[in-house]
Amino acid sequence: MNVPPTDGLRVAVTDLEQLVIDIFKAVPLPEDHARLIASKLVECDLRGVVSHGTLQVNRYVRSFQDGTVNSNPQIRVLKEGPTTAALSGDGGLGYLVATKGMEMAIAKAQEAGIGAATSTYHAHLGSTGNYARMAMRADLIGISTSGRNASDHYNRDATIRGSIQGSPPLAFGMPSGEGKPTFLLDFASHYAIDDETFLKYPPVFIKAIGISHVGNILSGTLGGQMLTAFSRGNIEFTGADQSGFFLALDVNCFSDLDAFKADMDHLMDEASRMKPLPGFSESFLPGGKELARETEYRRDGVPISAQAVEGLEEVAKEFSIATPW
């Protein structure tokens, strides 16, 4: 689980976002790309998802500099239907094509009740929760995942735990009332375990293995990553080895939106009043704490870890950019 950092410093939201924009523009990235990526990274920090926030900036800059990720990709629509789309990220960071994919899914859901898009040939797209939240802000249910297709070769002496490509993240988001906490389950699906732990709780980890493969199949395989043009052995930008899946659903096509949101508000509120699980001091369903964090951080500054501070300072100095602290 992500834990908000206590070893760094707090930075005003606008200052942090502008710093990241300036760094990416210096790479150089097109300004609109720099602004989009920066906004998604800071959004994660605002919600306490520090693993996918500005901590990633240094890594991304290095991937552009070493040529493994395209710094100026041209997003292409490979296929499109009334409720579907398939896109190529042209070797760039996944934020760009993932945002386009969910935008298309949202537009199709608003028109037809359901919209789905896949993406392929791109690098890391960050927190999959970013894209579920896009749908939620449009009063839609949002689902997103990211992963890879099957490997060319498997070690047959290993167990099926070794059949998972990476650790596919999945996110499921439900709209709620204005200003209310939202339900957002956003998690990495794969767990590193030893044999002793597995033998204690085999059903838990067997389910996790299955969920990991669902994430990979919906994104990597459905996205066509195994096709010759996007195969990991053929692509020009070798860091662009990921795919994505984005789904938006219009609640009104199934039920009544206001009633749905009222039920979600009731659920989130009641759950927060229940007895905490052992070892926890509070009781929240997924997504329940993030609204409070974002409100606090917008007021008092975004906490960023010492590691993130060090990474930002390193690249800022390299590009002769002043930090706001």
Side-chain angles (χ1 to χ4, degrees):
M1 294 185 297
N2 275 287
V3 178
T6 58
D7 63 348
L9 48 82
R10 285 189 181 242
V11 185
V13 177
T14 54
D15 290 343
L16 181 60
E17 188 164 333
Q18 189 60 55
L19 172 62
V20 178
I21 291 169
D22 291 342
I23 288 172
F24 283 136
K25 285 172 61 179
V27 169
L29 268 64
E31 182 169 351
D32 58 336
H33 292 188
R35 289 187 177 278
L36 187 153
I37 297 167
S39 70
K40 299 293 188 189
L41 291 170
V42 173
E43 184 177 339
C44 286
D45 279 335
L46 278 168
R47 295 177 59 83
V49 189
V50 295
S51 60
H52 288 64
T54 51
L55 179 64
Q56 296 287 336
V57 171
N58 193 298
R59 178 169 78 97
Y60 292 161
V61 169
R62 302 311 173 202
S63 70
F64 293 129
Q65 291 175 328
D66 65 20
T68 57
V69 177
N70 188 356
S71 60
N72 189 19
Q74 306 301 309
I75 308 305
R76 289 193 299 129
V77 176
L78 303 170
K79 292 186 176 186
E80 185 172 6
T83 59
T84 60
L87 293 83
S88 165
D90 191 31
L93 267 184
Y95 294 82
L96 307 168
V97 67
T99 298
K100 177 66 174 177
M102 184 52 93
E103 286 174 345
M104 294 182 72
I106 288 169
K108 291 174 184 296
Q110 290 171 331
E111 179 68 24
I114 185 170
T118 60
S119 62
T120 195
Y121 190 27
H122 55 78
H124 194 223
L125 54 71
S127 168
T128 51
N130 280 330
Y131 311 105
R133 285 194 297 278
M134 288 174 62
M136 294 158 69
R137 287 193 286 267
D139 275 341
L140 304 169
I141 291 173
I143 298 173
S144 56
T145 185
S146 178
R148 301 176 175 90
N149 71 303
S151 175
D152 288 341
H153 303 285
Y154 290 94
N155 177 7
R156 295 183 181 179
D157 292 326
T159 70
I160 59 170
R161 286 182 293 183
S163 66
I164 300 168
Q165 294 292 293
S167 179
L170 298 96
F172 303 84
M174 315 296 167
S176 62
E178 185 69 27
K180 299 288 188 178
T182 53
F183 181 96
L184 177 61
L185 177 61
D186 180 9
F187 64 101
S189 58
H190 184 43
Y191 300 94
I193 54 172
D194 56 39
D195 289 344
E196 182 180 354
T197 307
F198 178 83
L199 289 172
K200 288 181 179 178
Y201 313 104
V204 173
F205 296 106
I206 290 170
K207 290 175 184 177
I209 291 168
I211 291 170
S212 292
H213 280 291
V214 168
N216 275 328
I217 293 165
L218 283 177
S219 53
T221 307
L222 187 63
Q225 197 179 65
M226 66 289 179
L227 300 174
T228 301
F230 308 119
S231 170
R232 279 165 277 176
N234 294 329
I235 53 177
E236 176 184 359
F237 295 98
T238 55
D241 62 350
Q242 298 189 26
S243 296
F245 173 77
F246 316 96
L247 178 68
L249 294 171
D250 184 351
V251 174
N252 273 320
C253 290
F254 302 89
S255 181
D256 178 82
L257 177 62
D258 290 337
F260 180 95
K261 293 197 293 185
D263 203 56
M264 291 304 306
D265 294 343
H266 172 69
L267 171 65
M268 298 296 285
D269 181 64
E270 286 296 314
S272 72
R273 301 172 189 273
M274 298 178 77
K275 183 187 297 185
L277 291 167
F280 288 81
S281 60
E282 299 174 293
S283 180
F284 287 104
L285 288 176
K289 296 185 67 170
E290 283 71 13
L291 177 63
R293 282 178 181 160
E294 183 171 349
T295 301
E296 176 196 338
Y297 296 169
R298 287 192 182 278
R299 182 189 65 230
D300 301 333
V302 185
I304 54 176
S305 67
Q307 183 182 357
V309 170
E310 181 181 357
L312 289 167
E313 288 180 341
E314 180 181 298
V315 289
K317 181 179 180 180
E318 186 176 314
F319 294 129
S320 300
I321 297 169
T323 61
W325 53 81

